[in-house]
């Protein structure tokens, strides 16, 4: 009997030892995997670093590329497209104007009744619809007919409180947020698509003629009088309210900037200068490239797997369409190589764009001590249950790294433009375009969902701009101009009509 008891005790002890060994080895494996994930994170953070010295190189490169793009067609990856807008709205525009806005996942139609200097925007209304994904890769006819159809039904619902002035037609400003080589204020050919659009037969077409044809077929008596990139629209929208606005930046699904340039500096346009002596330039800065950009292998794989590899390198590091996917790719690598989320890689994490920028914004805003929101997002998006705090911290830091890099690069881009126009504090007062005599300020109008809704991104961007500008930052105001790009095209259509009447 004694022997039996002793035998059982030995077996139990051995089992306990084995269980302990399994636990210890499991813990060691988890610890070593976590260590692996941490060192991967550190490596990624180093590759993404944007110390101020590096940002200054980006600032200089932006200013140099701007010059090059203005001198000759194809002189830089920055297209620096003349917009033919040589006069921005002044606030005294009157009448009823429409705008249609195509540029991201949604299409918008908008009408605005303008009352002149005193009453400004008397009333505005808009309607937004999601663009059916198949139209983003279909034919030009289908896409423009869809816009014409939505516009026609919106116009049909115009109420009595919207009134065109006597003898005035219903003019439309067309915001088209893709690279277009304009040939006039109201015509231009599409150079290439971005942001996941690929309507191949539209490339090289005059997009105004294409839309105007579809509108005519559907009946309403309307004409497109202004073709406007959203960055140009944001500049017009900002200037309508504030005459110190010189630059507009879009940080949304895509990214871009427009600014007021001295016509003489645009040497590729020859020597016919507009009366105002100025012209708005659509930079198409999403395609900016410099060897100083902190690009990582993750960015390279992302780029290779997009619809436009080799294009829009800056956009793919800073805009809303891509930030979430950069994070996803880093997390996927950590899941595959360091089992960050356990032995299995969450299937959905293999899907491109399954993590959106709104998700990383939510993660990044989590201030709770146990990073509860981070856990919730991982559960809701990828079905990952019961993450440890250590894992949630790693996920948080990946978001922080990607957003901080994007925001600081965007700030360097803005300071590059300020440098080009002599407003970064490093020039004597008589270089560049004149500063408004009373305020002495330069205002940068910001538009786009990324800037508007991602508060940590916004804060990082503002801080980096202040860091780069030093003392000069007191004369530079970077402010949200909500929906400037939407209404901007209508305001430009109004300003064109006003100048026609003069
Ligand atoms: C387009 C620009 C546009 C920007 C913001 C970019 O992808 O190339 O034309 O202004 O997105 O919408």
């Amino acid at each position: 009997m004694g022997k039996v008891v002793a035998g059982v005790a030995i077996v139990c002890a051995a089992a306990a030892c084995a269980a302990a060994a399994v636990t210890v080895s499991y813990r060691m494996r988890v610890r070593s995997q976590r260590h692996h994930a941490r060192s991967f994170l550190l490596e990624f953070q180093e590759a993404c670093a944007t110390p101020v010295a590096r940002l200054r190189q980006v600032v200089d490169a932006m200013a140099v590329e701007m010059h090059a793009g203005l001198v000759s067609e194809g002189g830089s990856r920055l297209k620096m497209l003349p917009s033919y807008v040589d006069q921005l709205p002044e606030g005294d525009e009157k009448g009823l104007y429409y705008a249609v806005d195509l540029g991201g996942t949604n299409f918008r139609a908008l009408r605005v009744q303008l009352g002149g200097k005193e009453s400004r925007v008397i009333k505005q209304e808009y309607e937004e619809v999601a663009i059916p994904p198949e139209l983003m890769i279909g034919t030009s006819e289908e896409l423009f007919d869809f816009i014409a159809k939505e516009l026609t039904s919106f116009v049909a619902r115009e109420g009595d409180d919207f009134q065109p002035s006597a003898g005035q037609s219903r003019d439309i400003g067309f915001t088209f947020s893709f690279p277009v080589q304009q040939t006039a204020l109201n015509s231009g050919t599409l150079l290439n698509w971005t942001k996941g659009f690929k309507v191949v037969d539209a490339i090289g077409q005059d997009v105004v003629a294409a839309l105007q044809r579809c509108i005519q077929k559907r009946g309403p008596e309307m004409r497109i009088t202004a073709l406007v990139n959203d960055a140009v629209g944001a500049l017009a929208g900002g200037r309508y309210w504030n005459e110190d606005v010189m630059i507009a930046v879009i940080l949304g699904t895509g990214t871009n900037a427009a600014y007021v340039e001295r016509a003489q500096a645009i040497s590729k346009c020859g020597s016919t200068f507009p009366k105002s002596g100025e012209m708005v330039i659509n930079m198409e800065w999403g395609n900016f490239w410099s060897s100083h950009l902190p690009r990582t292998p993750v960015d390279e794989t992302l780029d290779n797997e997009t619809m436009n590899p080799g294009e829009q390198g800056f956009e793919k590091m800073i805009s809303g369409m891509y930030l979430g996917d950069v994070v996803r790719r880093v997390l996927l690598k950590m899941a595959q190589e360091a089992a960050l989320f356990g032995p299995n890689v969450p299937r959905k994490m293999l899907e491109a764009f399954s993590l959106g920028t709104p998700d990383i914004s939510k993660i990044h805003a989590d201030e709770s001590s146990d990073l509860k929101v981070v856990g919730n997002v991982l559960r809701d998006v990828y079905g990952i249950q019961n993450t440890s705090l250590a894992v949630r911290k790693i996920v948080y830091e990946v978001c922080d790294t990607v957003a901080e890099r994007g925001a600081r690069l965007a700030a360097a881009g803005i300071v590059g433009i300020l440098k080009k126009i002599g407003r970064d504090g490093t020039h004597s007062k008589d270089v560049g375009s004149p500063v408004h005599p009373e305020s002495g300020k330069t205002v940068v109008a910001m538009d786009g969902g990324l800037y508007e809704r991602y508060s940590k991104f916004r804060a990082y961007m503002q801080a980096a701009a202040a860091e780069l500008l030093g003392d000069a930052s007191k004369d530079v105001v970077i402010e949200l101009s909500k929906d400037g790009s939407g209404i901007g095209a209508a305001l430009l259509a109004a300003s064109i009509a006003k100048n026609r009447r003069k």
Side-chain angles (χ1 to χ4, degrees), residues 1 22 41 47 77 90 105 134 143 151 160 221 236 243 288 297 317 325 390 395 403 441 449 460 464 473 498 500:
M1 182 68 185
V22 168
L41 173 65
R77 294 196 67 125
E90 294 173 314
T105 39
E134 64 278 11
L143 180 64
L151 173 69
D160 291 342
E221 275 285 311
E243 55 191 4
F288 167 67
M317 291 172 100
D325 207 50
V395 172
K441 300 270 186 223
Y460 274 140
S473 70
K498 180 187 81 181
R500 237 189 351 240

Side-chain angles (χ1 to χ4, degrees), residues 409-473:
L409 291 177
I414 293 174
V415 178
I417 305 175
L418 289 164
K419 182 172 183 135
K420 167 72 182 68
I421 62 170
R423 306 276 182 103
D424 67 331
T426 61
H427 298 69
S428 64
K429 290 284 173 228
D430 53 351
V431 176
S433 41
V435 182
H436 192 260
E438 279 148 41
S439 74
K441 300 270 186 223
T442 303
V443 178
V444 183
M446 304 294 303
D447 197 2
L450 173 63
Y451 188 79
E452 192 192 331
R453 293 193 284 273
Y454 195 156
S455 57
K456 285 215 168 120
F457 184 98
R458 201 165 54 231
Y460 274 140
M461 205 201 86
Q462 294 270 5
E467 198 177 339
L468 287 166
L469 286 166
D471 268 359
S473 70

Side-chain angles (χ1 to χ4, degrees), residues 305-385:
E305 289 168 26
T306 53
M307 280 191 185
N308 52 351
E311 302 284 322
Q312 302 293 102
F314 197 48
E315 177 159 278
K316 288 171 188 167
M317 291 172 100
I318 71 176
S319 86
M321 174 154 176
Y322 301 100
L323 291 183
D325 207 50
V326 177
V327 171
R328 175 193 69 88
R329 284 165 190 275
V330 177
L331 297 183
L332 179 62
K333 254 187 158 319
M334 290 174 164
Q336 286 169 330
E337 291 172 21
L340 184 68
F341 304 111
N344 302 319
V345 173
R347 275 184 83 78
K348 198 169 166 213
M349 206 174 262
L350 294 161
E351 248 174 59
F353 299 108
S354 52
L355 190 70
T357 300
D359 297 319
I360 70 165
S361 162
K362 241 191 256 167
I363 289 179
H364 209 172
D366 188 355
E367 312 239 295
S368 65
S369 57
D370 58 348
L371 295 179
K372 189 160 167 261
V373 181
V374 180
N376 291 348
V377 173
L378 289 170
R379 188 198 56 217
D380 297 347
V381 178
Y382 290 124
I384 304 169
Q385 309 284 346

Side-chain angles (χ1 to χ4, degrees), residues 116-168:
K117 272 259 183 271
E118 297 310 314
S119 27
R120 300 274 171 146
V121 175
I122 299 173
K123 190 161 192 218
Q124 67 168 311
E125 272 176 5
Y126 75 91
E127 204 162 85
E128 188 164 300
V129 281
I131 303 185
E134 64 278 11
L135 291 189
M136 293 164 73
I137 47 169
T139 67
S140 155
E141 179 73 19
E142 285 161 354
L143 180 64
F144 289 115
D145 189 55
F146 168 80
I147 300 177
K149 183 179 95 208
E150 295 299 327
L151 173 69
T152 310
S153 77
F154 180 64
V155 173
R157 291 192 298 279
E158 181 185 292
D160 291 342
D161 36 2
F162 286 94
Q163 288 293 330
S165 320
Q168 188 203 312

Side-chain angles (χ1 to χ4, degrees), residues 82-98:
S83 67
Y84 288 80
V85 172
D86 56 2
Q87 262 183 316
L88 287 163
E90 294 173 314
D92 56 353
E93 292 73 15
K94 284 187 178 160
L96 169 62
Y97 295 90
Y98 274 80

